[in-house]
Amino acid sequence: MTRGKIQFIGTDWRVYSTVEFNGDMYPSGHGNEIITHFKNGGFQDKDDYEKYAFDFDDRNFGYGHSGYGLITSLGTYDGSSAFTFNEHYTDYLYIINESEKDITLSSREDRESPGKDVILPTGKMAIVCFYTVEEIVSREKLVPKEMPGTRDIENILSVLESLSVTLERLQKLIADYGLRLQ
């Protein structure tokens, strides 16, 4: 059984992690759902992260119904040193960086010898397998964090209608006075 967690680093530098999901968490298994959601503009804020984690759990595992906390806060990452995996050990980590700053990930082959450091740019996701960053994933679609509401759209349409009426009046005045625009 391949295990994995979804982690999120927010603009407030707080680090959140799901419980360890047990089964098919490699990128071509359940991990593909996580990658696809990210590529399609998901995980832009903590609320979307939480909603996705609960939906993902409901679809695939059902751990949230067992009484255990599905998401925990791991504290605040201060950015002064590399973000290491030794405290987050699992087969696969899907780490989303929305901190608005690049983060240095310190990967390790084993607990005794350091691996190479990898930069995880803001707005990207790292796929980590056994202390090694396998891939940095980019979004393919950017979705606005705040979609305009109905009232916003009505206001925009009202302004456009006013401009249209103003343009019609201006054209009539020009025609009435025989003015030419050069």
Side-chain angles (χ1 to χ4, degrees):
M1 295 289 238
T2 306
R3 304 165 299 161
K5 298 178 184 179
I6 309 168
Q7 295 187 335
F8 180 85
I9 304 168
T11 55
D12 60 357
W13 289 86
R14 295 208 52 90
V15 180
Y16 300 91
S17 182
T18 63
V19 295
E20 185 174 64
F21 296 111
N22 191 4
D24 300 330
M25 286 298 291
Y26 42 85
S28 60
H30 293 308
N32 188 49
E33 292 179 50
I34 300 164
I35 295 164
T36 299
H37 183 72
F38 180 81
K39 284 183 174 181
N40 288 332
F43 299 117
Q44 291 189 45
D45 57 39
K46 181 180 173 258
D47 290 339
D48 183 54
Y49 165 75
E50 286 180 344
K51 181 182 180 325
Y52 180 83
F54 280 97
D55 291 346
F56 178 81
D57 175 59
D58 284 345
R59 276 191 313 278
N60 300 302
F61 298 98
Y63 297 160
H65 303 292
S66 64
Y68 295 107
L70 189 67
I71 297 173
T72 57
S73 172
L74 302 178
T76 303
Y77 171 68
D78 67 7
S80 64
S81 60
F83 186 84
T84 59
F85 312 133
N86 55 339
E87 297 157 10
H88 313 277
Y89 182 78
T90 189
D91 300 343
Y92 277 94
L93 282 173
Y94 297 87
I95 304 172
I96 297 111
N97 178 13
E98 288 298 332
S99 69
E100 298 181 351
K101 293 187 179 181
D102 296 349
I103 293 175
T104 301
L105 300 176
S106 180
S107 62
R108 295 159 37 111
E109 299 281 326
D110 60 53
R111 294 177 189 263
E112 303 302 321
S113 62
K116 66 178 187 169
D117 289 348
V118 175
I119 301 297
L120 177 58
T122 185
K124 307 273 184 183
M125 178 174 67
I127 300 172
V128 180
C129 179
F130 295 108
Y131 298 116
T132 302
V133 176
E134 286 191 342
E135 183 179 357
I136 302 292
V137 180
S138 299
R139 287 194 175 95
E140 294 174 357
K141 298 178 183 177
L142 290 178
V143 177
K145 289 185 181 180
E146 292 183 30
M147 297 297 290
T150 305
R151 182 169 289 154
D152 296 326
I153 293 170
E154 288 171 355
N155 288 340
I156 292 168
L157 291 173
S158 175
V159 168
L160 290 174
E161 187 175 307
S162 296
L163 289 173
S164 177
V165 169
T166 303
L167 181 61
E168 288 173 9
R169 288 184 184 158
L170 182 60
Q171 288 171 335
K172 185 174 181 332
L173 281 172
I174 290 170
D176 289 349
Y177 291 100
L179 299 175
R180 290 186 180 173
L181 296 176
Q182 295 185 16

